[in-house]
Amino acid sequence: MIPTPEITARREWMALLARTNPARLAALLPDLPTHATLRPPEIGTVMVQGRAGGTGAPFNLGEMSVTRCVLQLDTGEVGHAHVQGRDKAHATRAALLDAMMQTGAAAHLQAAVLGPLRAEEIARRSARAARAASTKVEFFTLVRGEDQ
Amino acid sequence: MYVAVKGGERAIDAAHAWLAEERRGDTAIAELSVAQIRAQLALAVNRVMAEGSLYDPDLAALAIKQARGDLIEAVFLIRAYRTTLPRFGASRPIDTAAMDLSRRISATFKDLPGGQILGPTFDYTHRLLDFALMAEGEAPMTPDRAAAPPESAPPEPAPHVTEMLNREGLIQTEAASDAVPPDLTREPMELPATRPLRLQALTRGDEGFVLSLAYSTQRGYGRTHAFVGELRIGAVAVEMDIPELGFAVQIGEVEVTECETVNQFIGSKTEPPQFTRGYGLVFGQTERKAISMSLVDRALRWKELGEDFVGVPAQDEEFVLMHADNVQATGFLEHIKLPHYVDFQSELELIRRLRAEALQLNEAAE
């Protein structure tokens, strides 16, 4: 199945919300709209899989903690969240934002919340990449005495 | 046999109260916070996450604090907590080729696309105690950031070294599959095991045990001629299919260490001469464990590669898999200190009777 542009955009913001620092998200989105709870925030695990040799058969690497929830705005939109960690407020906020992104408020939220989160993440990643690049080495093989 | 005993509640309560006091230690010294453990003892946290089979740095740090730094006890706490949580499902297999690298080295290729990145490593340090770390109250040493390039260019793509060899057909191919892997945390381990089951047991196995086995293969107990083709550490996205939504979403990111060994292989009855692989993948920055895992993985693959079983421990699947788990080992080992009074009573009676009989026989002979 080829994902529609809507699904691609939604996957992108859901991923960003799952990775983001909960405190930062709360600072950018302090007020939450009224909503109904379809699935209350629940803490559980997801079994993370790897592949033998990086590309072969899947195997179970270990679990990670995840909090999920499903909420519905008064206007009917349903928001889902699966976020890393055990922070129920984080899952609630992510689900509500997912729902609100399906309303007319999307453009505003994109600019006020998702945009800054994305920019901060890119800055963090490039700082890390630059740090890694500063430890890049060039090894030279030397001719040893006994080879001459 | 361990037999239940009654009584001793007051002594047990007092022992636990003392344990709590000992855990805190001298109250004139500031208490260690969980956040400090997570941030400053990160490699201990990583080990507890890997062997506890639960990626959650906060919980691993808490377990280390509660266990007074006893990492196997901390792993036990994490395993016990994990059983209280529902499992939402399994992720898609992580794509380690798309890792955000903080370290990436190869012992086989000097120049490789994406380059060699040392990252925050103990390698090339002099292993001299750094007394500056003990000078309390002084500002921590600021790392020299001057060397970092000012521009933050996107990192070059860094393909797996083994994929480069694979293109030439010089290394055994890993057959891709989407088979559902066995899970030893859900079903009892069955032998002979498949490679996915072995990899799961090794990644959560005790670091010391896996290290010693790997070392034994290097010293000649099942030599596999391993080179570290590639060792990489970094963050990888975790994606899961959400049935209600009908598509996969990213649910977070984990740091992992991946080691791929390239092993000399002269061919066997069934396989042509080529390089073969050992694989290690472990939560966190845990490179000793990941390298060890890949050596033991390779040694255990003797059957599928048509090699001879030469009877060494690292080739013996049952020996390796049944003894790798430090929580299981600790449980069985330490239970012998718990009350065995009834067992021992019968042993006492047996020895007394045998002695009496032996003495009687001796007397009769005299």
Side-chain angles (χ1 to χ4, degrees):
Chain A
M1 183 188 79
I2 297 156
T4 62
E6 289 75 25
I7 288 180
T8 305
R10 191 171 177 201
R11 287 182 59 190
E12 196 270 337
W13 76 62
M14 289 180 84
L16 181 65
L17 291 169
R19 292 191 305 260
T20 200
N21 177 319
R24 184 66 187 131
L25 177 60
L28 289 170
L29 187 73
D31 303 317
L32 299 178
T34 56
H35 57 271
T37 303
L38 301 186
R39 177 189 271 164
E42 181 187 18
I43 297 170
T45 69
V46 167
M47 177 54 94
V48 181
Q49 295 187 351
R51 285 187 183 279
T55 50
F59 70 96
N60 290 309
L61 178 63
E63 286 164 280
M64 64 188 270
S65 54
V66 171
T67 307
R68 68 177 176 190
C69 81
V70 184
L71 304 172
Q72 186 171 31
L73 297 180
D74 294 346
T75 43
E77 294 81 7
V78 174
H80 286 256
H82 276 78
V83 300
Q84 183 165 15
R86 289 164 300 108
D87 189 330
K88 291 183 178 180
H90 181 195
T92 304
R93 222 172 228 105
L96 285 173
L97 200 60
D98 178 47
M100 288 189 285
M101 283 301 290
Q102 300 164 48
T103 69
H108 166 71
L109 291 166
Q110 190 65 262
V113 182
L114 297 176
L117 288 177
R118 199 175 291 116
E120 286 159 19
E121 183 176 77
I122 290 169
R124 239 185 352 261
R125 280 182 203 272
S126 28
R128 194 172 129 119
R131 205 72 216 278
S134 73
T135 68
K136 205 173 257 195
V137 279
E138 305 290 341
F139 285 117
F140 300 97
T141 47
L142 300 176
V143 177
R144 298 193 300 186
E146 66 261 35
D147 295 337
Q148 285 176 342
Chain B
M1 184 180 60
Y2 165 72
V3 189
V5 286
K6 287 179 77 168
E9 287 87 351
R10 211 186 316 153
I12 292 169
D13 286 347
H16 290 171
W18 193 8
L19 169 68
E21 259 175 57
E22 289 289 315
R23 174 187 301 123
R24 175 59 184 88
D26 184 353
T27 50
I29 299 169
E31 186 178 348
L32 198 54
S33 73
V34 168
Q36 284 173 325
I37 296 172
R38 191 193 58 222
Q40 296 174 37
L41 297 179
L43 300 190
V45 167
N46 288 343
R47 182 170 174 187
V48 170
M49 293 197 299
E51 294 172 25
S53 285
L54 182 66
Y55 195 98
D56 189 315
D58 290 309
L59 287 181
L62 169 63
I64 290 169
K65 179 172 176 171
Q66 187 178 333
R68 305 178 63 195
D70 180 337
L71 297 188
I72 293 182
E73 182 72 18
V75 168
F76 196 167
L77 292 170
I78 289 297
R79 294 263 188 98
Y81 173 77
R82 189 203 62 81
T83 62
T84 67
L85 296 177
R87 189 188 287 177
F88 298 153
S91 79
R92 289 189 168 182
I94 55 174
D95 179 8
T96 53
M99 189 184 289
D100 244 355
L101 297 170
S102 53
R103 173 163 168 81
R104 192 258 194 146
I105 54 170
S106 170
T108 53
F109 293 101
K110 186 161 61 67
D111 305 303
L112 66 171
Q116 305 225 23
I117 299 162
L118 292 182
T121 179
F122 291 125
D123 293 355
Y124 314 109
T125 63
H126 296 293
R127 267 72 184 210
L128 298 173
L129 275 178
D130 181 359
F131 289 97
L133 293 172
M134 221 159 83
E136 288 165 65
E138 286 173 25
M141 294 177 304
T142 40
D144 179 18
R145 284 167 193 270
E151 86 285 4
S152 49
E156 293 170 55
H160 278 125
V161 164
T162 46
E163 289 310 304
M164 290 156 48
L165 282 170
N166 201 10
R167 258 178 268 146
E168 272 189 80
L170 294 178
I171 195 162
Q172 148 262 332
T173 315
E174 296 288 2
S177 103
D178 287 312
V180 175
D183 183 356
L184 62 83
T185 68
R186 288 294 171 91
E187 306 107 32
M189 189 149 56
E190 276 189 31
L191 300 175
T194 57
R195 191 170 178 216
L197 191 69
R198 296 197 300 252
L199 291 171
Q200 183 185 17
L202 290 173
T203 193
R204 71 206 301 266
D206 182 74
E207 179 173 314
F209 179 77
V210 182
L211 167 67
S212 292
L213 279 173
Y215 180 43
S216 75
T217 68
Q218 291 185 295
R219 288 195 63 253
Y221 290 83
R223 210 175 275 283
T224 51
H225 308 278
F227 293 99
V228 172
E230 184 170 355
L231 177 77
R232 49 169 72 197
I233 303 178
V236 195
V238 181
E239 272 197 347
M240 182 168 75
D241 285 303
I242 311 291
E244 307 97 287
L245 295 176
F247 53 85
V249 294
Q250 216 184 86
I251 55 174
E253 237 177 16
V254 292
E255 186 186 41
V256 293
T257 304
E258 181 184 49
C259 177
E260 290 186 278
T261 58
V262 175
N263 301 68
Q264 189 196 93
F265 184 61
I266 53 166
S268 68
K269 280 159 255 160
T270 57
E271 301 294 319
Q274 60 183 333
F275 290 114
T276 55
R277 310 168 181 229
Y279 189 64
L281 183 66
V282 186
F283 277 153
Q285 185 179 338
T286 41
E287 73 181 53
R288 184 186 304 117
K289 170 74 173 285
I291 299 170
S292 303
M293 176 175 168
S294 57
L295 263 61
V296 177
D297 170 50
R298 176 60 188 79
L300 287 170
R301 299 183 65 203
W302 62 272
K303 204 182 282 179
E304 65 201 70
L305 296 171
E307 292 173 324
D308 291 329
F309 178 73
V310 293
V312 298
Q315 279 186 318
D316 185 335
E317 181 175 273
E318 182 172 349
F319 180 83
V320 175
L321 300 190
M322 299 309 277
H323 301 116
D325 193 292
N326 56 25
V327 174
Q328 263 172 22
T330 299
F332 198 66
L333 181 102
E334 295 201 10
H335 101 283
I336 62 172
K337 73 190 172 184
L338 298 174
H340 280 69
Y341 305 133
V342 176
D343 264 9
F344 191 66
Q345 200 63 38
S346 72
E347 299 268 317
L348 260 181
E349 270 163 35
L350 179 68
I351 291 290
R352 279 188 186 128
R353 207 182 66 227
L354 291 174
R355 265 181 74 90
E357 283 168 11
L359 287 173
Q360 253 174 5
L361 276 176
N362 282 350
E363 277 165 23
E366 275 166 17

